[in-house]
Every structure is written in C-alpha cells, then in structure tokens.
Amino acid sequence: MYLIAFTIFREKMAQTSSLYTELTVQSLNIDGATEEKMYILEDYVINNSPDFLLIQESKVTSDSLPTNLEMAGYTHSVKERPSTDKQGGGLISYWKSDIPVRTWENPKKDKDSKVKNETHWMLIDANTTKIAICNVYMACESGKNKGFLDWNTAIYNELKEDVNTLRDMNFAILILGDLNGWVGKLPGMEGNHEKKNQNGTLLMNFVNNEELYILNQTNRSDDVFTRTHYSKNGRLLSQSCLDYAIISKEAKIGDWSFSIYDIQEKDGIQTDHKLISVTGQVKVMRGGKKNKASRPNFNNQEQNNEFKATLRESIKKVNLMQFRNCTSTKQAEQLHGLIHKASTKAYKTKKRSPGKRKRKLNADARRIIDQKKDIKQRLEKDPSNQMLKQEFILLKQELKDTILNGVITHRKKIRLELALNDPNKKTFWRLLKRSPGKDQGITAAWDENKKIVFEPKKVKEIVYNSFKSRLGGKDEPSVTSKKKDKKATKIGKALSKPVTEKELEKVISEIKKDKAPGPYGIYGEHIKYGGYWLHKFIRAWINTMLKEGSVPEFLKQGRVSLLYKRGDCLVPSNYRPICITSVMLKVLTRLMNTRLEQMVEHHGFLSQNQFGFRKTHSTSDAILIISAAIDKAKMESMDAGLASIDLSAAYDMVCRTTLFKKLRSLGINGTFLAIIEDYYTNDSVVYAVNDGVTKPLFMTQGVKQGCNLSPLLFNLFMVDVVDEINNLQLGIDLGTRF
C-alpha cells in the first residue's frame, strides 16, 4: 500500500510580519479500517506525526463503526460508506488538534445527494491563510461495477460547484484521494503506463476546466505508481497510478514538490497504495493543546540568553515607525512570528532516536512485520517458491492475531466496566483517566436517549450543546455594524492614555512562570525573557489598541479545558471550565485591570460592603462583620437571621449590555471601554474533548473565565445589587467602624 502525503513548500519570507508553520497532509486508501490496520496506522502516526491524514475506502458504516478510530492529539471526522450502494468507499479525516480547522459542506449541495459522503472539506481560515483541503474517493472502474461512471460524474459535478464556491471565498484548493483514474504519460509522469480509462478522462476534464494542476507531475522520482497490487502470497501482479494530489493556482503551484514512499513495505499495513510527501511552510497560527515535550526549557539560562539575543537582532531589523503605522492585528501577527522564530532557534529540542520512540506495536508484531518484508523480497526474486508463499500467508495471519489479541482498547475496557458497574463509581472514572495521552476531559457522555456515547464526534456535539444551552451562545458570529462610541470623559481619557515603559515592565514582572501557553504557543516566559526590544514593540502594540479601541480578531478565541469536579462524570455540567487565552492579550488585560482598579478605588465606585476580588478587603472582613452582628443581636436580645445566596455560574450570567451601560454611567469610556466592548464582540471558545476541540461557540453573555479584568468587571456589575440591598435598611447597624 502506498500513502499520499503533501506539505506546503517554504514561501519566501521577505518580511518577518507573518507567522509560518510546517504543514503536512497525507492521503491513504486503507482498503477497510480494520482493528489491525488502524492499530498499525496509529503506530505510523506516532512516529511520523502528519498534520493531516486523509483515509479513503474505510468501508465504515453506521452498523460497523470500529472502536479504535481515536488518535491522541488528533481530531477526526467520519463520512460513512453508503450502505445501499457499494460504489462508495467511506472516508475518515484526521487533523492535529492544534490546527484551526473547520469542516465545511457546500450549502448549495442537494441534501438528498447519494454521493455527498464521497467528499469531505476541511478549511484552514487563519488570518491571511485560506486553504481548503478535500478528502475524496471515486468508485473503481471495472466490468463488474456498471454504475461507476454516473456515480463519479455526480461527484465531479459537486466538486466543481465546491471549488467555484470556495474560490469566491478566496480559498486555495487542495484535493487528495483515490480517484481511480488512469491518465497516461503526462509531463513529469513519463514512467506511467500509456492507458487512459474513463475515470482518467473525467479527472483530466475536471482539472483542465477548473484550471487545476496535478501535483503528481512534480514528482522527481522514477516511481510514479501509487498502487502496487500483490497476490495473496506476495507476488507482484500490477502497478498503476490511481491516487492524486490536485492543487489550484492560488496555492502557488511552483512552490510544491511531490514524492512517493512505500508504506506497505516499511510499515506493514496491508493495503495496496503508497505515501507521497511535500514539505514547506504556510501562514497558520497553531492553537489548541501542545505536546509537553515541545515546551521550551526555560530553566536553561544559556538558551534564554540566546532567545533574547536572537529576538533582539530580528526586532532591530523592523522599522518601528512603520510598525506603529500598522493595525493592531498586523502588529500582533508580526510579534507572534518574531517570538516563534527566535524560540525555535534558541530552544532546540533533541529528536528522539528511533529506539526511544513511543511505539504502539509490541515487539512480536514488529518482528513479524520485519519477517514479512524479508520473505516478500525473496518472493520477488523467486515467485515460484511454494514454501515461501505458504510462510508469507501464515505470517499475515500471525500478525493479525498478535495485534488483535494484544489490543484491549480503552473503549472496550470502559464498556465492560459499564456493563458490570454503575458508571458513577470510581473505577469508571479511573478508567477514563487512564487513557494514554488524554487529559481529564470528557471521553464519554450521556445522549438525549440516556445512552452512553463514546464516538468522539457525538461527544463533542453533546458538550457543545450543553454549554450552548447554559451560556446562550451562538453557532455563528453576529453581524455588527454599530461603531463603538470612543468619546471620553476625564476618567475615560485617563484610562485610555498611552502606556508608559514603567507600567508595562511592572505588568511583565508579574507574569507567572511554568503556566500553560496561550492558544498560539507563546509562554509567559517568552515575554519575561524577551528583553528591552520586545517590550518596546509590545508597548507600541498596546498603544495602537488604546488608540484604535479594538482587539485583533484572532486573539478573541479561547480554548476551554474541562476539569472534572464531582457527580456523574458523563454529564458536561459536572466539569469546571478553565479558559486559556493568549499570553499577549493577558499583558494587555492585566495592564487595563491595574488602571481600572486604581480608578475604581480612588473614586469609590464599589460599595464598602463588597469584599470579593479586592486588595484591601477579604472574606475575613465579611466573617468579622457577621460575627459582630451576631454578638450585638445576643447582647440586645434581638432575633437575627442570615440570608445567603449562592450565585451559580455567576460569571456566565452577566448581561454584557447592562455591564457596558454601567461602566459608561461611571465615566469609564473612551477607547478603554471600546477595547472591552470589542473584546466581547464575536468572541468565541472551543471546548477540549478527546484531545480535540469542538466547533467555536460564539458568546453572547457573561464575563470571560480566566481574564484579569473579569473579577473587577463582575464587581462593578453587582454594585447596584449591593446598593439596592443597602437601601432596604435591613439588618443590624454596627456603626461606622464596619
């Protein structure tokens, strides 16, 4: 079997204003996603770490869904094989959870289309980068398969509509998969056979009419075949090119290359297709969960000094005046890019040797795979050797038995536990946490029919809908055309004034170490150790936002980790949401909070009876007052009672419109308030589930979890409630001392 992989080639970086990252996409016809094959495939993924893995001919249906489709660190989506028509093959698409991907289906597509599951689009829409990647499978052309032509024609018609729609949305197009087409000896594919079949004609018509390009033509190897067909005893029967990577001109065709790698020979997966790889870089800001091994070693002072020096030299090449004239979004992108580039150079991580890699396959399975390779090579030299043929067949069966007997997946353990025990017991939760590579997030949940769901896609939907109903979020961002009022009073002007060097340095000194990075891979230590020049440009960036009254759109999304609290671990509401936001943005919000806090305390905006989230007040003060009230009631023989209210999900219930109105009534306005309002406009969160994330939930109410400003904003929101209670003149008068 051969596997198709491509990676976007390095673009010329004339400026450092963009953030680049490597991107690798791979495609594979797996010829049936069996337990055995998926287990070996996961071993391949662990050791090669592609960004995308697109699988065709999974032969997965709703009645035969494998239990081991999850891969640690990856999000996946399944397109089921049409059970009523054997033309379809079934698709599974994987992508790394830290890549900002959303699946897409053309709204113009016929809902009753028989071929709708034969294509799967994944969109990367990040800042200046817009890439649409499609996983596709075409029916095989054969005498037994009479309906293939009409079937594939319908797929190409839908693909044509998709390509045109995505182009109108300014996306570059990448299409990968098993197209089952013979196209003959194209330029760059002179080693291919001369035959051209009907599928090949459909393919070439599609490519030519839509102005696309077949990346296979850039292959610099003599081997052009992506399918190698062997007999059951290992003898080579035929070779052909059926798998393709297709690209649009918008993706800069000349910067791409193509090569083929025999994954069956080297990794032992029993299918008949090869691996193709292209390497390069694109403008994509990665987010999501990071591998602990990739964390820079900030305890190494030598590396810290190198990071600081490298960053200084890069920043000094940037014209500060030109930087100041850019938008805050452009500035943020440039700063992220400079930090990442310097960090990559300074904090070099040692590559693990093959012997130290974490392998899913046990030693017996690896030994059998090596034996199969040896016998296969001997069979090619001596195809009539019956003993070798028989040994090859026996080894195939032994490999299958070894893998299946040695694999008791985490899902199976859970299901067994559920069959024997109450799912609320400690054993169930212990099993959930035991899964390697998983955090304490949700791996299973109750559905609407009170059945336990394990399939990651469904679990994500349950989690998403749970928080959506609780928080009142929306699936899509709101259309907002109303301009923010930037008029400022004396207080507003004071809050909105440019930040000083002394202010910024104090805020940076308060950044905590050894914390998780923000969604875009920047740690607090990057800011702390960045030095004078980085801090100078950060100050310019903050001052731009204070001038604009806006926040970069890509920084508005937070990633929420769900930590189990108590109760039924299958219920999303029993998890504590912890939101992780951009470290760069935390510098801004911490600075704004310091200013606002000083202003609020100076003008006495808060009630004297508010004790939470205040430096000069504490819960002990409240306890002292209660104790004093009880003592006075006893002394004066008065009846006394205590009313206590527990505000459930208090942060989440804050009405933003009321909050902003309250701030404005206090004179908190100008670009300072405009920043807060913009930060809360079309902001979104994604929830971490099964090492992946849900689709973005756009918030409509509440203050942000984990934001430095939130406690103070909540206090200001509640001040009218406290004043109203005071105006009732209930309770015991303790005098002015309290």
Side-chain angles (χ1 to χ4, degrees):
M1 162 196 23
Y2 297 60
L3 180 63
I4 299 183
F6 64 86
T7 310
I8 306 173
F9 238 25
R10 182 181 300 271
E11 297 182 9
K12 296 179 180 179
M13 293 193 291
Q15 301 177 353
T16 58
S17 60
S18 302
L19 179 62
Y20 289 77
T21 187
E22 284 191 352
L23 191 71
T24 302
V25 183
Q26 302 182 340
S27 170
L28 167 67
N29 182 319
I30 201 168
D31 191 22
T34 64
E35 297 269 353
E36 174 195 0
K37 290 179 183 178
M38 295 305 296
Y39 200 67
I40 300 176
L41 187 65
E42 186 174 9
D43 184 64
Y44 166 81
V45 170
I46 287 172
N47 291 289
N48 293 274
S49 192
D51 294 303
F52 286 78
L53 178 60
L54 312 181
I55 292 175
Q56 303 89 43
E57 271 210 282
S58 65
K59 302 180 181 179
V60 168
T61 68
S62 56
D63 301 326
S64 63
L65 192 67
T67 60
N68 62 333
L69 292 181
E70 299 86 357
M71 293 189 187
Y74 287 81
T75 302
H76 76 275
S77 181
V78 177
K79 289 274 188 168
E80 295 178 7
R81 178 180 193 173
S83 56
T84 58
D85 200 322
K86 300 301 181 183
Q87 302 280 7
L91 305 173
I92 308 174
S93 303
Y94 292 89
W95 59 90
K96 281 187 175 178
S97 301
D98 67 343
I99 301 176
V101 173
R102 63 184 174 97
T103 58
W104 179 81
E105 192 165 293
N106 198 334
K108 300 177 183 178
K109 184 177 292 185
D110 183 1
K111 293 182 179 180
D112 297 324
S113 168
K114 290 185 178 180
V115 300
K116 64 181 181 180
N117 279 6
E118 300 308 298
T119 58
H120 183 218
W121 286 98
M122 292 144 283
L123 307 187
I124 299 176
D125 190 358
N127 309 313
T128 57
T129 299
K130 297 171 76 74
I131 304 172
I133 301 171
C134 184
N135 185 6
V136 61
Y137 174 76
M138 297 289 174
C140 178
E141 179 173 341
S142 70
K144 297 179 181 179
N145 197 4
K146 303 294 184 184
F148 80 90
L149 188 59
D150 291 339
W151 181 272
N152 291 342
T153 300
I155 298 174
Y156 276 116
N157 288 337
E158 290 192 359
L159 275 177
K160 179 181 177 180
E161 187 73 35
D162 293 345
V163 168
N164 290 329
T165 301
L166 288 165
R167 272 179 164 156
D168 291 339
M169 296 163 63
N170 298 316
F171 278 92
I173 309 297
L174 302 172
I175 301 173
L176 298 90
D178 182 3
L179 304 182
N180 272 305
W182 297 349
V183 296
K185 295 181 181 292
L186 296 178
M189 298 177 63
E190 286 81 3
N192 197 13
H193 49 69
E194 297 182 356
K195 292 183 180 179
K196 189 174 182 179
N197 62 5
Q198 295 182 75
N199 276 343
T201 301
L202 287 175
L203 169 58
M204 294 308 302
N205 288 341
F206 171 69
V207 168
N208 294 329
N209 292 337
E210 303 309 314
E211 298 182 331
L212 304 171
Y213 183 79
I214 298 177
L215 266 179
N216 302 50
Q217 294 180 249
T218 64
N219 183 19
R220 297 192 172 98
S221 170
D222 293 333
D223 186 7
V224 300
F225 302 118
T226 67
R227 181 179 184 265
T228 303
H229 184 46
Y230 293 92
S231 67
K232 291 183 178 181
N233 56 22
R235 184 169 61 89
L236 177 63
L237 297 177
S238 64
Q239 297 184 99
S240 57
C241 180
L242 298 177
D243 305 89
Y244 298 88
I246 300 170
I247 187 173
S248 66
K249 59 184 180 180
E250 294 87 351
K252 301 180 181 180
I253 296 170
D255 290 342
W256 296 70
S257 67
F258 185 93
S259 61
I260 298 174
Y261 170 81
D262 193 337
I263 194 173
Q264 178 177 247
E265 178 71 23
K266 298 193 178 188
D267 296 88
I269 300 179
Q270 290 301 308
T271 181
D272 50 6
H273 291 246
K274 292 181 185 182
L275 178 107
I276 320 169
S277 184
V278 179
T279 306
Q281 294 190 343
V282 293
K283 296 180 189 176
V284 176
M285 287 190 175
R286 294 176 181 260
K289 188 176 180 178
K290 299 294 179 181
N291 191 319
K292 292 182 180 180
S294 66
R295 182 184 180 95
N297 182 14
F298 295 111
N299 294 323
N300 189 318
Q301 193 57 46
E302 185 178 340
Q303 289 185 331
N304 292 340
N305 293 336
E306 184 179 354
F307 168 70
K308 184 177 179 179
T310 304
L311 191 57
R312 181 181 67 245
E313 293 305 311
S314 299
I315 290 179
K316 287 173 74 173
K317 297 176 182 178
V318 181
N319 187 300
L320 183 58
M321 292 301 297
Q322 291 181 0
F323 180 86
R324 285 172 173 164
N325 290 329
C326 293
T327 64
S328 61
T329 298
K330 294 277 187 188
Q331 291 174 348
E333 288 180 354
Q334 187 165 1
L335 287 171
H336 276 79
L338 290 166
I339 293 170
H340 273 285
K341 187 176 180 181
S343 181
T344 302
K345 183 178 179 181
Y347 302 105
K348 297 177 182 176
T349 55
K350 295 181 179 180
K351 292 185 177 180
R352 293 178 294 176
S353 63
K356 294 182 180 180
R357 284 175 175 166
K358 178 185 175 183
R359 289 194 176 273
K360 293 288 291 186
L361 294 179
N362 57 36
D364 288 338
R366 184 57 56 187
R367 172 184 56 77
I368 296 169
I369 289 173
D370 291 339
Q371 287 179 335
K372 281 183 61 189
K373 291 178 187 177
D374 179 62
I375 292 176
K376 187 176 177 181
Q377 292 173 355
R378 291 162 62 188
L379 268 171
E380 289 176 355
K381 297 177 181 178
D382 186 11
S384 61
N385 193 320
Q386 294 299 321
M387 289 183 66
L388 287 177
K389 291 180 182 179
Q390 188 63 29
E391 189 174 353
F392 185 85
I393 294 170
L394 291 174
L395 281 172
K396 283 178 64 177
Q397 186 59 46
E398 186 181 354
L399 177 63
K400 182 177 181 178
D401 293 342
T402 299
I403 292 175
L404 295 182
N405 290 336
V407 177
I408 303 175
T409 65
H410 180 57
R411 292 276 173 255
K412 289 179 179 178
K413 287 182 179 180
I414 292 176
R415 287 173 178 170
L416 178 62
E417 196 66 34
L418 285 171
L420 301 174
N421 301 283
D422 182 348
N424 296 324
K425 290 187 177 181
K426 292 181 179 180
T427 49
F428 176 69
W429 180 241
R430 177 172 50 81
L431 284 172
L432 283 175
K433 292 197 296 182
R434 191 186 296 169
S435 180
K438 308 282 187 186
D439 60 17
Q440 294 184 2
I442 302 177
T443 57
W446 297 108
D447 67 5
E448 61 276 8
N449 299 318
K450 296 298 179 181
K451 293 183 179 180
I452 297 173
V453 174
F454 295 91
E455 205 279 309
K457 184 179 179 181
K458 184 64 178 175
V459 174
K460 288 176 185 177
E461 290 178 1
I462 293 171
V463 171
Y464 179 88
N465 292 330
S466 172
F467 283 97
K468 180 182 177 180
S469 63
R470 287 169 57 195
L471 306 180
K474 294 183 177 180
D475 298 329
E476 300 290 339
S478 303
V479 179
T480 54
S481 58
K482 185 179 178 182
K483 292 185 178 180
K484 302 291 187 294
D485 184 8
K486 299 179 183 178
K487 295 180 181 179
T489 57
K490 185 178 179 180
I491 292 176
K493 289 178 181 178
L495 291 170
S496 306
K497 65 182 181 182
V499 61
T500 65
E501 183 179 335
K502 185 178 179 180
E503 274 187 294
L504 182 63
E505 290 302 324
K506 184 177 184 303
V507 167
I508 291 176
S509 68
E510 294 171 351
I511 295 176
K512 295 180 181 179
K513 300 179 183 180
D514 300 320
K515 297 295 183 181
Y520 301 104
I522 292 182
Y523 293 82
E525 288 88 342
H526 281 135
I527 308 299
K528 291 181 79 73
Y529 303 147
Y532 170 79
W533 283 96
L534 176 62
H535 299 172
K536 187 174 183 177
F537 275 74
I538 289 177
R539 184 156 66 93
W541 171 62
I542 292 175
N543 285 333
T544 299
M545 285 187 288
L546 287 169
K547 183 180 178 181
E548 294 176 345
S550 63
V551 174
E553 285 294 327
F554 75 89
L555 295 181
K556 292 183 181 181
Q557 186 176 98
R559 184 182 189 276
V560 177
S561 294
L562 300 173
L563 302 181
Y564 177 69
K565 295 187 298 184
R566 61 188 176 273
D568 191 344
C569 56
L570 301 178
V571 178
S573 59
N574 289 333
Y575 289 75
R576 179 180 291 109
I578 305 295
C579 188
I580 301 172
T581 57
S582 163
V583 173
M584 290 275 289
L585 202 59
K586 284 183 178 180
V587 175
L588 170 70
T589 56
R590 183 180 286 274
L591 186 144
M592 292 178 67
N593 184 66
T594 301
R595 284 187 175 183
L596 185 58
E597 190 176 52
Q598 291 173 352
M599 192 66 68
V600 166
E601 295 295 341
H602 177 74
H603 289 276
F605 288 152
L606 296 179
S607 169
Q608 63 176 345
N609 293 325
Q610 286 182 274
F611 301 99
F613 315 121
R614 300 177 72 180
K615 287 183 178 180
T616 57
H617 298 68
S618 68
T619 54
S620 58
D621 295 327
I623 294 171
L624 179 61
I625 291 174
I626 294 172
S627 180
I630 293 171
D631 290 342
K632 186 172 183 179
K634 287 180 178 179
M635 289 174 59
E636 299 182 5
S637 300
M638 298 170 59
D639 292 330
L642 177 66
S644 177
I645 302 174
D646 183 7
L647 298 178
S648 178
Y651 273 21
D652 299 331
M653 298 298 108
V654 171
C655 175
R656 294 179 174 182
T657 303
T658 303
L659 172 64
F660 301 149
K661 185 178 179 180
K662 179 61 183 179
L663 295 176
R664 199 169 279 107
S665 71
L666 297 172
I668 301 169
N669 47 31
T671 56
F672 185 92
L673 178 58
I675 287 176
I676 297 175
E677 289 181 305
D678 189 62
Y679 188 26
Y680 280 88
T681 300
N682 289 334
D683 59 311
S684 64
V685 294
V686 293
Y687 296 91
V689 180
N690 281 335
D691 277 335
V693 294
T694 66
K695 64 181 180 179
L697 177 63
F698 291 88
M699 312 307 295
T700 58
Q701 64 184 38
V703 292
K704 299 178 182 291
Q705 298 281 350
C707 176
N708 295 299
L709 275 167
S710 293
L712 184 52
L713 292 178
F714 181 76
N715 271 351
L716 291 168
F717 177 77
M718 293 294 294
V719 75
D720 288 343
V721 176
V722 178
D723 288 342
E724 190 65 28
I725 293 173
N726 289 334
N727 292 335
L728 294 174
Q729 295 184 344
L730 300 174
I732 299 171
D733 187 5
L734 298 176
T736 57
R737 287 178 58 192
F738 295 95

